[in-house]
Amino acid sequence: MTQKIVMKVQMNCQKCQTKALTVGAEANGVNFVGLEGADKDKVVVIGDGVDAATLATTMRKKVGHTDIISVAEVKKGN
């Protein structure tokens, strides 16, 4: 099941954004990592079998305060 996880991460500088993208990309099963939002404060992770809770905990430890906004299944369009 491919899922899309959106998390709001407290990022104060460009280095924090880079670190957040790196942490997201290191998770198992990730296909895409990107930033969203007007302030580029939301990290979007798309992948198969990604554990949102573990990913959020890792973000909190390595980057800063993290809130899970949504976890949704991605449906393929035919």
Side-chain angles (χ1 to χ4, degrees):
M1 173 178 75
T2 302
Q3 57 188 3
K4 178 180 179 180
I5 304 166
V6 180
M7 296 178 290
K8 183 171 179 147
V9 182
Q10 180 182 350
M11 295 182 278
N12 300 323
C13 59
Q14 181 68 34
K15 185 177 179 182
C16 295
Q17 290 179 350
T18 304
K19 183 69 174 175
L21 291 174
T22 303
V23 169
E26 289 174 349
N28 290 332
V30 173
N31 297 331
F32 172 82
V33 179
L35 296 174
E36 277 186 356
D39 297 330
K40 300 286 186 192
D41 61 345
K42 293 179 184 163
V43 177
V44 178
V45 178
I46 298 175
D48 292 323
V50 180
D51 186 11
T54 304
L55 185 58
T57 302
T58 306
M59 286 276 192
R60 285 186 192 107
K61 288 180 181 178
K62 296 191 176 185
V63 182
H65 183 74
T66 304
D67 292 322
I68 298 175
I69 304 292
S70 68
V71 178
E73 184 178 349
V74 176
K75 298 188 181 192
K76 295 181 181 180
N78 290 334

